[in-house]
Amino acid sequence: MIKITNLKRRIRRTSQGITLIALVITIIVLLILAGVSIATLTGEEGILGKAMTAKNETNQANVREQAQLAVMGSYDEDGNLNVGELKEELAKIEKIGTITDTNGKLPITVVIDSYEVTIDEKGKVTIGEEVEGTITPPSTAETSPFVPEGAKKIEGTIDTGLVMTDKNENEWVWIEVPRTVEVYQTVGLGIKDFTEEEYTKIEIDLQTYASAYRQSGYTDTFYAAVQHGFADEKAYNDHKKSMLKSVYQNGGFYIGRYEVGTITPRYTKDDELVTAVIRQDAYPYNFITCEQAQAKSEELRTGGKTSSLMFGIQWDLVLKYIEEKGSELGETKEARQTKLKTDSSDWGNYNNIEFMITRGKYTTEPTRVGSWIEVTSSYTKPSSSVLLTTGATERNSVLGVYDLAGNVWEWTLEYTGNTSNPCAYRGGHCFNRGSYFLVFSRYYGETSLSDRSLGCRVALW
């Protein structure tokens, strides 16, 4: 019996050993098969790799075809490739990014459907690598919004308000200035060299286009360094030329979606000049001179673009854009122009109007420390003077731009023609009535501002 029992035990152990070995072998075989399958699917020579390559090649071919069609439609009567016409043809492509020429000449670089494309002097199209994270804004033949390097997102449309968020989380709205013969009646659309005469014509054409909003005696001219901080007339004019060229080439420019703000409030002109932001629920950057406002505006530059206070013509162009497309202010252009020129009470923060806000903060005493009160559920602003944080209500916005009417005055780069009060600010203030929207106020940039809440709005080009 002992021998039989031992034999059974040995058989049981042997059987268990065979089962484990078979299991290990099975696992190894499965792993080998899995490895072969993965290799077949992945890698450059795998099924998935080949599929991705085929997709990439198809996309590149489509991009090349679109670029070549644009080139074919851009030759003039003499058989020369026209840069201006090429940019217009490229702008018609659906998934088009920023179009960049070389000082008004070829080659041109542009992002089409996330691929970087270069077109040289002979019309040769070169497709580069796919640009990771590329943002492609909507564009038309009349306007091509650019995207600063590092921009995080673009939302909306040109007709309803195109909003770009830059790498610093500041928000900007595209202001369309159509690149058409109707706008550029004297200079035309074929500028190549940007001469002094052509810059003058561009400015005159823009002034004519936005003539309804021009104010007699106010010009975009240099007065003194203390005016806006420019060293001399040449520096001021060079700055203006860069703006005019960008507006002409791109069919518009960006402005801050909100008034320039601060994370912590300022109560007097002597408070620290803190970091500027363009974000909702910020304190308006007030009690600031025009020269200081320009310096803070320049700090908001992003992605290789220029940031600045608006020239007077840019302010006028903003109003013209609202007149053209700001349906929030009325169904007809005539109705909208009335609200822009005569009375902006129903879309601005003025002392003659009552409305409700449900976010942000408010103060009735901007110079008293600690006077800002947070809105916990809702607050009805009475028919009196109340300063609000930026973007407190949709009521005070049009085409994605907030607080253009009222809240705080906004400095511009204009010259008032008055040697005692050379600087201009526009837009009205919460201490004004709604009829003050387009009234120009004058205040000297070096004079005490302790009793005035003066702020700014920034342009980007």
Side-chain angles (χ1 to χ4, degrees), residues 383-400:
S383 296
S384 58
S385 302
V386 180
L387 184 63
L388 308 175
T389 49
T390 57
T393 170
E394 294 293 322
R395 173 193 179 275
N396 296 348
S397 70
V398 58
L399 290 169

Side-chain angles (χ1 to χ4, degrees), residues 259 315 342-355 366 381-387 395 404-410 425-442 451-455:
E259 295 164 324
W315 185 281
T342 307
D343 193 341
S344 296
S345 297
D346 65 356
W347 66 287
N349 178 21
Y350 297 103
N351 67 5
N352 64 312
I353 195 73
E354 178 180 305
F355 57 86
K381 188 205 84 68
S383 296
S384 58
S385 302
V386 180
L387 184 63
R395 173 193 179 275
L404 193 68
N407 214 42
V408 295
W409 289 300
E410 300 176 11
Y425 47 80
R426 303 175 68 170
H429 190 278
C430 65
F431 290 96
N432 297 145
R433 298 181 66 79
S435 56
Y436 271 65
F437 177 52
L438 276 182
V439 173
F440 284 71
S441 301
R442 305 174 186 177
D451 62 339
R452 299 207 176 234
S453 189
L454 278 155

Side-chain angles (χ1 to χ4, degrees), residues 118-162:
T118 302
I119 303 172
D120 67 13
E121 297 84 350
K122 296 181 180 180
K124 179 182 177 182
V125 176
T126 303
I127 309 296
E129 294 296 321
E130 190 169 8
V131 182
E132 209 171 311
T134 296
I135 298 173
T136 305
S139 62
T140 68
E142 298 179 356
T143 185
S144 300
F146 58 79
V147 181
E149 294 177 10
K152 293 191 173 181
K153 62 181 177 180
I154 281 187
E155 300 175 298
T157 69
I158 295 167
D159 290 335
T160 60
L162 187 70

Side-chain angles (χ1 to χ4, degrees), residues 243-263:
M243 178 273 294
L244 293 172
K245 183 176 182 179
S246 180
V247 171
Y248 179 87
Q249 291 181 327
N250 295 301
F253 58 97
Y254 286 104
I255 66 166
R257 189 179 195 186
Y258 310 100
E259 295 164 324
V260 174
T262 63
I263 302 302

Side-chain angles (χ1 to χ4, degrees), residues 129-344:
E129 294 296 321
E130 190 169 8
V131 182
E132 209 171 311
T134 296
I135 298 173
T136 305
S139 62
T140 68
E142 298 179 356
T143 185
S144 300
F146 58 79
V147 181
E149 294 177 10
K152 293 191 173 181
K153 62 181 177 180
I154 281 187
E155 300 175 298
T157 69
I158 295 167
D159 290 335
T160 60
L162 187 70
V163 181
M164 180 270 293
T165 303
D166 70 22
K167 62 183 179 182
N168 300 312
E169 300 291 345
N170 294 314
E171 296 182 29
W172 309 81
V173 175
W174 183 252
I175 304 300
E176 179 185 14
V177 183
R179 195 167 181 274
T180 63
V181 292
E182 289 76 20
V183 175
Y184 297 104
Q185 296 180 19
T186 59
V187 76
L189 303 180
I191 294 180
K192 296 180 180 180
D193 300 322
F194 288 90
T195 63
E196 289 290 335
E197 181 183 0
E198 287 171 330
Y199 277 121
T200 299
K201 287 182 177 180
I202 291 173
E203 186 172 11
I204 291 173
D205 282 341
L206 293 178
Q207 289 173 350
T208 301
Y209 174 63
S211 60
Y213 306 103
R214 298 296 298 155
Q215 179 80 358
S216 177
Y218 292 76
T219 58
D220 289 324
T221 54
F222 178 78
Y223 167 67
V226 72
Q227 180 188 5
H228 307 117
F230 292 96
D232 51 34
E233 185 174 10
K234 183 180 183 305
Y236 180 93
N237 287 336
D238 287 346
H239 192 62
K240 183 170 66 172
K241 288 176 187 175
S242 73
M243 178 273 294
L244 293 172
K245 183 176 182 179
S246 180
V247 171
Y248 179 87
Q249 291 181 327
N250 295 301
F253 58 97
Y254 286 104
I255 66 166
R257 189 179 195 186
Y258 310 100
E259 295 164 324
V260 174
T262 63
I263 302 302
T264 56
R266 300 181 78 247
Y267 298 99
T268 75
K269 67 183 181 64
D270 298 319
D271 287 348
E272 180 186 359
L273 293 170
V274 294
T275 301
V277 298
I278 306 175
R279 301 173 195 167
Q280 195 168 40
D281 299 329
Y283 300 98
Y285 208 130
N286 52 10
F287 308 109
I288 189 171
T289 67
C290 189
E291 183 177 2
Q292 291 169 336
Q294 175 61 12
K296 300 309 294 185
S297 296
E298 291 173 358
E299 293 176 6
L300 288 160
R301 59 186 176 273
T302 182
K305 299 300 180 179
T306 297
S307 58
S308 169
L309 290 179
M310 283 192 282
F311 284 93
I313 184 58
Q314 287 179 290
W315 185 281
D316 301 334
L317 290 169
V318 172
L319 301 185
K320 183 64 178 177
Y321 172 58
I322 292 174
E323 176 196 304
E324 291 289 330
K325 299 190 174 180
S327 58
E328 298 98 319
L329 300 189
E331 293 183 2
T332 66
K333 290 185 182 181
E334 291 75 16
R336 296 194 284 267
Q337 190 177 110
T338 297
K339 291 187 178 181
L340 290 167
K341 294 186 66 175
T342 307
D343 193 341
S344 296

